[in-house]
């Protein structure tokens, strides 16, 4: 439990339930599926389509690129990067919608 009485999982579900975060996750999923399809049908083996979803989920996905060299690890890095970025986007969206709270009095 945290100080406000909510578990970490409940808070994560709360920020990931934001519309802006869900749109970001959907865009990342579409980019990832597109990159996989383009890479599978590229007979030359020189497709750079995987870079697009990787950059869309930076900086977390770039940090996770140190994982072992395998296609599944690339997808894992993109997925974790998308979830972390969506949580930050959801938190920011809710904070901006909430507006200024009681701040320090001058």
């Amino acid at each position: 439990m945290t100080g406000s009485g909510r578990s970490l999982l409940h808070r994560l579900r709360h920020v990931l339930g934001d519309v802006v975060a869900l749109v970001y996750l959907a865009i990342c999923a579409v980019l990832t599926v597109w990159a996989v399809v383009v890479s599978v049908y590229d007979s030359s083996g020189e497709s750079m389509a995987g870079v697009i979803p990787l950059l869309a989920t930076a900086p977390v996905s770039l940090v996770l690129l140190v994982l072992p060299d395998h296609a599944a690890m690339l997808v894992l890095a993109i997925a974790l990067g998308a979830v972390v970025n969506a949580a930050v986007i959801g938190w920011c969206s809710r904070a901006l919608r909430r507006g200024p709270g009681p701040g320090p009095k001058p």
Side-chain angles (χ1 to χ4, degrees), residues 14-101:
H14 183 68
V15 295
L16 287 178
D18 189 67
V19 174
V20 181
L22 290 174
V23 168
Y24 173 77
L25 283 175
I27 290 170
C28 290
V30 168
L31 286 174
T32 304
V33 169
W34 170 79
V36 168
V37 168
V38 167
S39 296
V40 166
Y41 288 113
D42 182 26
S43 60
S44 68
E46 298 175 358
S47 176
M48 294 293 292
V51 174
I52 302 299
L54 194 66
L55 291 176
T57 57
V60 176
S61 61
L62 295 177
V63 171
L64 294 175
L65 267 181
V66 298
L67 294 173
D69 190 26
H70 192 268
M73 293 301 147
L74 178 66
V75 173
L76 178 68
I78 291 169
L80 288 176
V83 168
V84 169
N85 288 346
V88 171
I89 289 169
W91 178 79
C92 290
S93 174
R94 287 185 186 272
L96 288 171
R97 225 178 295 124
R98 192 173 37 241

